[in-house]
Amino acid sequence: MPENKSRPPQDQPWENGWAPDTSRAPGTRRLWLAGGMAVATIVACATAIVVTDRAPDEVSRSASADDSTSVPGLISFATPSKTPPPEGKSGLSTAEATTRAPRQQEAGAPKPAPQPEQKPSKSPSHEGGSPTAPKPPATTWRSVRSVNYADRYWHASGGYVKLDQVGGSESREDSTFKLVKGLADASCYSLATADGSYLRHRNFVLRSERNDGSALFKQDATFCARSAAYSGAVMLESVNYPGRFLRHQNFQLRLDPYEHSGLYLADSAFRLVAGLA
């Protein structure tokens, strides 16, 4: 039988050649087991948190995909809409205002009192709308004076209409015209001379010619009055060339497209005054 060696005292193991086993610390297996359980617990908690947060996030994303309303705190930029040009006979006239259908009344809400229908007002400005034409008289003798050349009047001479200064009796008679209802549109104007000719545009130049009875002549000799940029003055727009107005250029009366410039507004503004003859 092997010789039993008595265990030396714990406080002096080196005296008899005995030493404690230091290759493994006491309780190492229990520490590893506790650490593994702690790591597993942490991983399980983190997984549960991620799954819990992802579920409402998916619901929120699906709801936001179906809902067109904007989320508070986010700025959305709308695409600017192109405003269509105004409709009408000319580029200066506005379209009639449209009335939107009222929203369906909620159940139980008191019915609002009916409001009297209001007619849309027309703007007299050239940029927003076509000014209302004044009603022409049945027969009136008038002279047409320039706004920016107050001493010059329309003067029919040699088959053309120019802007001249008033001279003798012949010039006064040739600068006085009979203002009648438009040959092509009764709400507009036509101007006739003392010898029975009419002022009409041909090749966009204002002339004095005899009425041949054609539809083209009636349209060429009809002009609609529009409010001018100057008080008491009018602009004369062609019936068959909407957007073109009579204006003087080098003292010659002609039909030119509308321009939003100070010179054009002055050259195309005239005052219908009492006849000079």
Side-chain angles (χ1 to χ4, degrees), residues 56-69:
D57 184 56
E58 294 295 333
V59 175
S60 175
R61 290 182 181 179
S62 61
S64 62
D66 297 334
D67 190 6
S68 61
T69 57

Side-chain angles (χ1 to χ4, degrees), residues 61-129:
R61 290 182 181 179
S62 61
S64 62
D66 297 334
D67 190 6
S68 61
T69 57
S70 60
V71 180
L74 297 181
I75 301 177
S76 61
F77 297 90
T79 303
S81 60
K82 296 183 178 180
T83 304
E87 299 176 358
K89 293 201 303 181
S90 70
L92 306 178
S93 58
T94 55
E96 292 293 333
T98 57
T99 304
R100 296 183 178 179
R103 295 183 179 178
Q104 186 177 4
Q105 187 178 1
E106 299 181 359
K111 183 181 293 185
Q115 298 293 332
E117 183 179 358
Q118 297 179 353
K119 295 182 179 180
S121 60
K122 295 182 179 179
S123 172
S125 64
H126 289 283
E127 298 178 14

